Amino acid sequence: MKLNRNTVFDCSVIDVSKVHDEAGNITVVENGINIPFDVKRVYYLYDVPGGEARGGHAHYELEQYVIAAGGSFDVILDDGKNRKIVTLNRPNLALHIVPGLWRELDNFSSGSVSLVLASHIYDEKDYIREYSQFKKYRNG
Ligand code: TYD
């Protein structure tokens, strides 16, 4: 198992830009252009009932872009020492989540859509789902 020393400060919000005209906007994310890993999987979270939270886990290897494709929500990042809350509310902004961090998503606005671009296909073995196990992984 690879020990990971990434911190919440390695996660940043990237303006992936948009193509605007009077008929609306298009945002494009392309491997090798405006994302620092190759995308292997795309999923999206929607119909989250009011007051619900998602996430509540860490990944050993997975890297992600998280985008509020519609509406808004908060992402809480935790590296075992530091916590950071990022509010996402624009479809052209992507939160880059590096591997090894605990994350939770909450405060979803009604009708919000969380679009996730991921560096690996789904693998349950890449998850840490117990916070106590995560703390041990990070802090020994
Ligand atoms: P999970 O990643 O725990 O969701 P969240 O972080 O949004 O709370 O996944 C929830 C369920 O969906 C779990 O049973 C696994 C399944 N799932 C897949 O089958 N493939 C996927 O790509 C993802 C993200 C989840």
Side-chain angles (χ1 to χ4, degrees):
M1 195 186 300
K2 187 163 71 98
L3 254 192
N4 205 302
R5 291 295 152 218
N6 287 330
T7 76
V8 297
F9 306 109
D10 297 311
C11 296
S12 51
V13 175
I14 292 155
D15 187 345
V16 285
S17 84
K18 62 187 170 194
V19 182
H20 169 77
D21 69 33
E22 58 279 9
N25 298 322
I26 299 177
T27 285
V28 182
V29 179
E30 289 174 285
N31 286 342
I33 305 285
N34 57 352
I35 184 164
F37 55 86
D38 278 354
V39 177
K40 296 262 177 48
R41 175 168 54 117
V42 174
Y43 63 92
Y44 40 101
L45 207 55
Y46 55 98
D47 287 349
V48 179
E52 283 294 337
R54 301 289 309 213
H57 60 253
H59 289 282
Y60 292 111
E61 301 282 348
L62 191 75
E63 226 172 316
Q64 292 163 307
Y65 258 13
V66 179
I67 296 168
S72 66
F73 51 86
D74 293 338
V75 183
I76 301 135
L77 299 168
D78 178 339
D79 59 25
K81 285 198 175 75
N82 313 287
R83 277 165 76 86
K84 181 161 112 171
I85 300 179
V86 179
T87 298
L88 292 174
N89 55 11
R90 296 257 173 259
N92 61 301
L93 297 181
L95 171 63
H96 178 211
I97 305 183
V98 296
L101 303 188
W102 189 265
R103 90 287 313 275
E104 280 165 32
L105 280 67
D106 70 5
N107 216 8
F108 290 91
S109 69
S110 171
S112 65
V113 179
S114 163
L115 174 64
V116 182
L117 312 182
S119 61
H120 293 73
I121 62 167
Y122 175 74
D123 178 6
E124 188 58 37
K125 293 193 295 301
D126 190 58
Y127 280 75
I128 308 173
R129 291 196 181 271
E130 291 296 325
Y131 191 73
S132 56
Q133 192 191 336
F134 169 72
K135 288 286 275 185
K136 222 160 118 187
Y137 169 65
R138 291 303 309 227
N139 301 331

